[in-house]
Amino acid sequence: MSGLDTSSGKVVPVGTGSVSRSGTRPDRNNFAPRFGLAWSPGHNVVLRGGYGLYYDSGMLVVNSAQYFNPPEFNLRVYFPTQTSLLTLADPFPSRGGFTPPPSLTLLSPDMVTAYLQHWNGSVQRKIGGLGVLSLAYAGSKGTHLVRSRDINQPPPGPGDVQARRANSAYANMMSIESGANSDYHSFQTSFNRSMTRNLSVWSVYTFSKSIDDTSAFLPTKADKNFPQNSRNYQAERGLSSFDVAHRWSVASIYALPGRTVWPAIPS
């Protein structure tokens, strides 16, 4: 198998050693504790809190991305002209065309399972016969999230792009790593009025902020999820592409007065 020498940017043969056939080392220390508590200091007040550590299930697309590496996947470019057309009899002629420098997708051997820490705390109080008011704080932190970067990205400058790459024998060298991070903090308030006088109301307002250096592994229309400068991933840290600062939801149910009569079901 081949590996990447990160100091030189060269692909060199390596022994498997403790690395599995997938190209990454086993990750067997995924301990996920979770706990919660609830305490009522008074008749109408309840304090709640909790913490949990959750591991990502992983994505098949991460491992399957290496399918597009040579020799399984090779690219040759042709420019047909009036005198040299491609035909079904010889769709891949040995003459003509050129082979561009291949692009590689590399899995970091140090990849580990991504995980999220979630925590929350809240106070709930019953307000007479009106309903229950809840004030809460909820947060999370993502660590070792999957990201990608081009470790063969040419620095800005004049002249040929390929000559400015660390390894001119290859084009893009996409390194898939578990190095992304995220943070989420939110203040949440809700009011729940149970069914009283034929009416129930549920209202929730959330003020939050989500920050990360990559919002997803795959690109979206709103965000390519790829660093502008692969040598400076910290510059990518900012508001998540899915960040919503304010969110308010209201739901209500009104029961019509009267008695509902269900038709009899014949036996």
PDB file of all heavy atoms in Angstrom, residues 67-74:
ATOM      1  N   TYR A  67     -11.518   5.292  -4.409  1.00  0.00           N
ATOM      2  CA  TYR A  67     -11.770   4.561  -5.650  1.00  0.00           C
ATOM      3  C   TYR A  67     -11.267   5.342  -6.865  1.00  0.00           C
ATOM      4  O   TYR A  67     -10.888   4.765  -7.885  1.00  0.00           O
ATOM      5  CB  TYR A  67     -13.267   4.285  -5.790  1.00  0.00           C
ATOM      6  CG  TYR A  67     -13.697   3.855  -7.179  1.00  0.00           C
ATOM      7  CD1 TYR A  67     -13.501   2.544  -7.606  1.00  0.00           C
ATOM      8  CD2 TYR A  67     -14.273   4.759  -8.064  1.00  0.00           C
ATOM      9  CE1 TYR A  67     -13.881   2.151  -8.886  1.00  0.00           C
ATOM     10  CE2 TYR A  67     -14.650   4.373  -9.340  1.00  0.00           C
ATOM     11  CZ  TYR A  67     -14.449   3.069  -9.743  1.00  0.00           C
ATOM     12  OH  TYR A  67     -14.821   2.680 -10.999  1.00  0.00           O
ATOM     13  N   PHE A  68     -11.243   6.664  -6.771  1.00  0.00           N
ATOM     14  CA  PHE A  68     -10.879   7.500  -7.909  1.00  0.00           C
ATOM     15  C   PHE A  68      -9.370   7.729  -8.007  1.00  0.00           C
ATOM     16  O   PHE A  68      -8.924   8.581  -8.770  1.00  0.00           O
ATOM     17  CB  PHE A  68     -11.606   8.843  -7.828  1.00  0.00           C
ATOM     18  CG  PHE A  68     -13.097   8.713  -7.936  1.00  0.00           C
ATOM     19  CD1 PHE A  68     -13.891   8.700  -6.806  1.00  0.00           C
ATOM     20  CD2 PHE A  68     -13.696   8.579  -9.171  1.00  0.00           C
ATOM     21  CE1 PHE A  68     -15.269   8.570  -6.907  1.00  0.00           C
ATOM     22  CE2 PHE A  68     -15.068   8.446  -9.285  1.00  0.00           C
ATOM     23  CZ  PHE A  68     -15.855   8.441  -8.151  1.00  0.00           C
ATOM     24  N   ASN A  69      -8.589   6.991  -7.232  1.00  0.00           N
ATOM     25  CA  ASN A  69      -7.135   7.085  -7.339  1.00  0.00           C
ATOM     26  C   ASN A  69      -6.625   6.157  -8.432  1.00  0.00           C
ATOM     27  O   ASN A  69      -7.209   5.103  -8.695  1.00  0.00           O
ATOM     28  CB  ASN A  69      -6.471   6.705  -6.010  1.00  0.00           C
ATOM     29  CG  ASN A  69      -6.675   7.769  -4.948  1.00  0.00           C
ATOM     30  OD1 ASN A  69      -7.054   8.889  -5.246  1.00  0.00           O
ATOM     31  ND2 ASN A  69      -6.406   7.420  -3.707  1.00  0.00           N
ATOM     32  N   PRO A  70      -5.520   6.519  -9.093  1.00  0.00           N
ATOM     33  CA  PRO A  70      -4.901   5.573 -10.032  1.00  0.00           C
ATOM     34  C   PRO A  70      -4.311   4.403  -9.252  1.00  0.00           C
ATOM     35  O   PRO A  70      -3.942   4.580  -8.084  1.00  0.00           O
ATOM     36  CB  PRO A  70      -3.812   6.428 -10.706  1.00  0.00           C
ATOM     37  CG  PRO A  70      -3.524   7.537  -9.752  1.00  0.00           C
ATOM     38  CD  PRO A  70      -4.806   7.795  -9.014  1.00  0.00           C
ATOM     39  N   PRO A  71      -4.254   3.205  -9.814  1.00  0.00           N
ATOM     40  CA  PRO A  71      -4.567   2.869 -11.204  1.00  0.00           C
ATOM     41  C   PRO A  71      -6.033   2.509 -11.446  1.00  0.00           C
ATOM     42  O   PRO A  71      -6.400   2.184 -12.565  1.00  0.00           O
ATOM     43  CB  PRO A  71      -3.663   1.678 -11.463  1.00  0.00           C
ATOM     44  CG  PRO A  71      -3.642   0.964 -10.142  1.00  0.00           C
ATOM     45  CD  PRO A  71      -3.641   2.055  -9.105  1.00  0.00           C
ATOM     46  N   GLU A  72      -6.876   2.503 -10.379  1.00  0.00           N
ATOM     47  CA  GLU A  72      -8.281   2.152 -10.588  1.00  0.00           C
ATOM     48  C   GLU A  72      -8.986   3.190 -11.463  1.00  0.00           C
ATOM     49  O   GLU A  72      -9.941   2.877 -12.178  1.00  0.00           O
ATOM     50  CB  GLU A  72      -9.011   2.030  -9.245  1.00  0.00           C
ATOM     51  CG  GLU A  72      -8.684   0.779  -8.454  1.00  0.00           C
ATOM     52  CD  GLU A  72      -7.365   0.897  -7.714  1.00  0.00           C
ATOM     53  OE1 GLU A  72      -6.798   2.007  -7.700  1.00  0.00           O
ATOM     54  OE2 GLU A  72      -6.907  -0.119  -7.152  1.00  0.00           O
ATOM     55  N   PHE A  73      -8.552   4.421 -11.382  1.00  0.00           N
ATOM     56  CA  PHE A  73      -9.201   5.491 -12.131  1.00  0.00           C
ATOM     57  C   PHE A  73      -8.112   6.307 -12.817  1.00  0.00           C
ATOM     58  O   PHE A  73      -7.249   6.894 -12.154  1.00  0.00           O
ATOM     59  CB  PHE A  73     -10.020   6.378 -11.186  1.00  0.00           C
ATOM     60  CG  PHE A  73     -10.803   7.442 -11.890  1.00  0.00           C
ATOM     61  CD1 PHE A  73     -12.071   7.175 -12.376  1.00  0.00           C
ATOM     62  CD2 PHE A  73     -10.281   8.714 -12.062  1.00  0.00           C
ATOM     63  CE1 PHE A  73     -12.808   8.161 -13.020  1.00  0.00           C
ATOM     64  CE2 PHE A  73     -11.011   9.701 -12.701  1.00  0.00           C
ATOM     65  CZ  PHE A  73     -12.274   9.426 -13.179  1.00  0.00           C
ATOM     66  N   ASN A  74      -8.133   6.317 -14.154  1.00  0.00           N
ATOM     67  CA  ASN A  74      -7.154   7.068 -14.938  1.00  0.00           C
ATOM     68  C   ASN A  74      -7.884   8.004 -15.890  1.00  0.00           C
ATOM     69  O   ASN A  74      -8.963   7.686 -16.406  1.00  0.00           O
ATOM     70  CB  ASN A  74      -6.250   6.127 -15.740  1.00  0.00           C
ATOM     71  CG  ASN A  74      -5.379   5.272 -14.838  1.00  0.00           C
ATOM     72  OD1 ASN A  74      -4.475   5.759 -14.179  1.00  0.00           O
ATOM     73  ND2 ASN A  74      -5.673   3.973 -14.799  1.00  0.00           N
TER      74      ASN A  74
END
